[in-house]
Amino acid sequence: MSNSFLRAPAAAPASDWLSVVIPAAEPDGAVLRVDQDHPFFFDHPLDHVPGMLLVTGLLDLARAAAGARPGGHGVRLSLRFRRMCELDGPVTLRAEPVQDGRRDTFAVAAAQHGAPVCAGTIELIPADGDPPGAAGQGTSVPGGDVPVTPIAQELVHRSDVWNVVVGEPVVTRERYEAALVSPPAGHFLLRHGAERYAAEEIVEAGRQLVTAAMHGAHRRPRDTAMLWLSVSADLPAPAHRSVPLALRWEITPPRGGRAHFDLTLLAGGRPAGSLYYTTRCMSPVGYARFRANGGDA
């Protein structure tokens, strides 16, 4: 498996891959950078802008609007995906302060061709004291001396093994539990610094565990398309990588073609945050029909 994420694109220097937003004239607006050669977001062919890129862009814009350091805040977000975001036109992003007394809370939206594709809220939460694993507690990898085996990339819909950020889950009749796997040096998800986990890294790890659970616990075929309908997260200030992080899912059955995944984030074995995904699953034939009908969620 090649380390494709380390190759610089032909059209731009590698440093340009670190930012996914291009500031617009308005202080609370931006344009999403959709680079189909990006080795993380497009590590396999897609016919749409991935939801993870929309989440990352809106997080970046909210941070910029708040003047916040990417690694200095916890994050609460709630986003709904209203329709597929296409590859044939620009994607505009907005982050406007919410006037409800909460500091650093923004109503965010991504739009394309004049219609919203994703909208919700993002709140940046100042750290209350030192986050878990403050400086001086070492730099060991998550899991300490116990090696974490990454899950097979095809189970999480990744082509490049270096884009896998969750380990093989421990599965019982009641739950799935999987440790996070830190990306290698130079990876996009380490753009805020290699010492601490990033919010988007944890959201992606959740997406990967949900995808694996769709195939495992819900017994969906390998060619099933899984689309996000919504994602919510309540994540603490970024922990140091000396603290092992894991995700736990108490198994719940699907509801027809839709499923809800309520994940608990564990830091050092203790609950520290949560993620919630609502998804829609379709066969290849159903997905083709969905795309032909306009891709409304």
Side-chain angles (χ1 to χ4, degrees):
M1 190 65 62
S2 66
N3 291 6
S4 62
F5 68 89
L6 295 178
R7 294 202 301 266
S15 60
D16 284 357
W17 282 13
L18 300 181
S19 174
V20 299
V21 296
I22 304 169
E26 302 87 353
D28 57 357
V31 175
L32 185 67
R33 188 190 301 271
V34 180
D35 180 354
Q36 295 183 53
D37 291 322
H38 197 289
F40 170 64
F41 294 112
F42 290 90
D43 89 331
H44 59 284
L46 292 172
D47 67 352
H48 61 279
V49 176
M52 196 63 221
L53 178 52
L54 294 171
V55 171
T56 303
L58 292 171
L59 275 170
D60 278 3
L61 187 58
R63 290 169 179 141
R69 292 186 301 107
H73 290 70
V75 171
R76 291 193 186 104
L77 64 82
S78 179
L79 301 173
R80 179 173 178 265
F81 299 89
R82 299 185 178 182
R83 60 182 295 113
M84 297 289 280
C85 190
E86 306 294 349
L87 297 171
D88 63 355
V91 183
T92 58
L93 308 176
R94 298 194 67 82
E96 299 179 351
V98 172
Q99 305 299 325
D100 65 355
R102 288 181 292 172
R103 180 182 176 185
D104 294 340
T105 302
F106 301 90
V108 298
Q112 185 178 56
H113 304 310
V117 294
C118 177
T121 59
I122 292 177
E123 180 181 2
L124 303 178
I125 309 162
D128 184 12
D130 290 330
Q137 293 190 17
T139 57
S140 61
V141 297
D145 296 329
V146 179
V148 177
T149 302
I151 195 170
Q153 65 263 31
E154 61 269 17
L155 292 179
V156 296
H157 296 186
R158 284 296 189 181
S159 293
D160 196 327
V161 66
W162 301 117
N163 286 327
V164 174
V165 291
V166 71
E168 288 184 357
V170 176
V171 181
T172 68
R173 294 182 60 183
E174 293 79 23
R175 68 174 60 96
Y176 273 50
E177 189 168 318
L180 269 64
V181 175
S182 291
H187 196 279
F188 172 81
L189 289 174
L190 302 182
R191 66 197 171 117
H192 302 318
E195 290 188 349
R196 298 188 181 279
Y197 301 92
E200 44 268 62
E201 178 183 352
I202 298 173
V203 174
E204 169 64 12
R207 183 203 70 79
Q208 292 187 12
L209 182 59
V210 163
T211 304
M214 171 194 70
H215 294 307
H218 291 174
R219 302 185 182 278
R220 303 285 188 183
R222 294 288 183 91
D223 59 359
T224 298
M226 186 186 78
L227 306 180
W228 283 1
L229 299 178
S230 68
V231 59
S232 300
D234 188 348
L235 304 176
H240 194 278
R241 291 186 188 275
S242 60
V243 178
L245 294 189
L247 293 169
R248 176 184 293 163
W249 174 55
E250 303 293 339
I251 296 174
T252 54
R255 304 173 186 174
R258 302 196 178 199
H260 302 262
F261 296 87
D262 193 350
L263 309 184
T264 300
L265 176 68
L266 305 173
R270 298 181 179 180
S274 61
L275 299 122
Y276 189 86
Y277 302 80
T278 305
T279 65
R280 179 178 180 183
C281 294
M282 286 175 278
S283 68
V285 172
Y287 181 74
R289 186 182 305 116
F290 168 75
R291 297 296 279 135
N293 291 334
D296 287 327

